[in-house]
Amino acid sequence: MKITVIKLKAHITIFATLVFIVVSGLLFNLIHSVIYTSLQFSFNAACRMALEGTFAGFNNEVFEKYGIYLLKDAGSEDIIKRLIKDNISESSLEFTELNTTKDVYITDNNGEHFYNQTLDYMSHEGISEEAAKYANMFKKEDYGQKADFNDDMEKLNDLIDADMSESEMRDRIKEIKTGGGISSGDLSADIDRKIDDIDGSKASESSVELPDVPGDLYDKMNSPDNNSVDEILKTERISEKNINNISFTSYASESHDFKKSNNVGKTFINNEIFREYLTLKFGSFTGRKEESELLDYQLEYIIIGKKSDKENIEGVTGRLKLIREGINVGYIFSNSKMRAEAKALASELFGWTGNPVLVQIAEYGIILLWGYAESVADVKALLNGDKVPLVKNESTWHVSIIDLISLNYEPDKEKTNSGIKYNEYLRVLLSMDNVDTHVLRAIDLIELHMIGKGDESFKMSEYIFEKNITAKCNLPYGRKEYIVDAEYAYSNRM
């Protein structure tokens, strides 16, 4: 038998072997890469799910009542570690380390994140489009203009002195003008013009008939005793609650930075939306939200910031009287009949002195007092739950000249059916103040609510809005370390 021997060249075998090795190596590298990528993805997902799972433990009471997500920082890292380990328990990953790189607190940057959450809440509730309806009701600087009336009242009171001669009175007027003058609208120029018209003659008599007027009436009208907050509100109706022994966020000297606010989102319209949130979530004198609160007059606290209900309602009624006084005095000056009545009363009180300048000045003092008396009636009506229009007319005016003489500053119930109510005036007052202050005081009230519910250690400054972590693990097959940077914020939920 003939045997045929086939000879193959060795380089083909070597080439085939090399190709097999390369293909096998590539295949195993691909498999290894897929495994490592899968493990890395698993660890990434585990870290993020742990963060989300931790943030799911938000304070339910605050969320239900105020629509705000809060997570207490204390113990959150232990929860994250446990959840990461649970999430990778079925894998070959070995969790080694967790570090917090940054925590963002709800009170940081003057309560920026609380503020932003309220905007999100209002947007979800569909209320945002209604929020700016009072925006142009008053300009912010109007409050300062109304405050001028108090200064003018003091200056006029100094001038209404029956023992002062006409020349002394004119000199005193010149001193007042040099020191800044009467500042309420056109009142200064009006006084000058009327005094120049007198030229030493007697003031003209008015045909208005008045009842007998006691000589000390002006002093009685100018006395604050009959128009204190106790008289306006009736003492038994004022809450005696106070928080003098409680420390809360806006009074904190440590913790986080409450002073610097650079939130570019605090635009005019967003501020109005936030203020609408305040009126929706917090109670007031005429609209309490919950009897168990540590302070009953919550919107008043946001506006005034005192530690007792009485101080806060006093502050608000004072501001309301100031606003109403300015508007009411303006209306009296525009009403010729009321001007004549004021002049007649001034003549009745001071005409016996024979000093026309004194009578003229007394007229203006009476107008200011009349505007003040009407403002007292307005505030009483508002606190009774009635309405008061921004600008009065004869059909909505309460205090007549007879009422003024008899010190009767009670509102007429039949004249309180038009205008706006107490809470809407509070809305105006809110628009006059700095929104940063309101943010912190709203945070105070949430703390007080939780303390009243029994959580005496509750502090908003201990609650986080966002958490950033660095987590490490060892991958198998070489124990290679893998690092994940992860973050989570409640804004992810919105």
Side-chain angles (χ1 to χ4, degrees), residues 33-48:
S33 177
V34 168
I35 292 173
Y36 266 59
T37 301
S38 175
L39 290 173
Q40 290 171 359
F41 178 81
S42 297
F43 191 60
N44 270 292
C47 292
R48 285 167 172 76

Side-chain angles (χ1 to χ4, degrees), residues 186-199:
D186 297 326
L187 184 54
S188 177
D190 204 4
I191 288 177
D192 288 342
R193 185 173 62 255
K194 289 299 179 67
I195 291 177
D196 290 341
D197 289 343
I198 291 173
D199 288 330

Side-chain angles (χ1 to χ4, degrees), residues 75-98:
S76 61
E77 289 192 15
D78 292 335
I79 297 173
I80 293 171
K81 288 178 183 178
R82 177 175 58 79
L83 291 176
I84 290 176
K85 290 177 181 179
D86 290 345
N87 289 332
I88 64 173
S89 60
E90 299 298 323
S91 69
S92 55
L93 293 168
E94 180 186 351
F95 175 67
T96 60
E97 187 178 346
L98 177 73

Side-chain angles (χ1 to χ4, degrees), residues 159-162 164-167 169-170 173 190-205 343 346-347 350-364:
L159 289 172
I160 301 174
D161 185 351
M164 189 183 298
S165 68
E166 185 175 335
S167 61
M169 194 167 293
R170 288 180 182 273
I173 291 173
D190 204 4
I191 288 177
D192 288 342
R193 185 173 62 255
K194 289 299 179 67
I195 291 177
D196 290 341
D197 289 343
I198 291 173
D199 288 330
S201 64
K202 299 281 186 180
S204 60
E205 299 296 330
K343 186 173 184 178
S347 298
F350 298 99
W352 61 272
T353 64
N355 188 336
V357 176
L358 177 60
V359 173
Q360 189 66 61
I361 293 172
E363 176 190 338
Y364 290 102

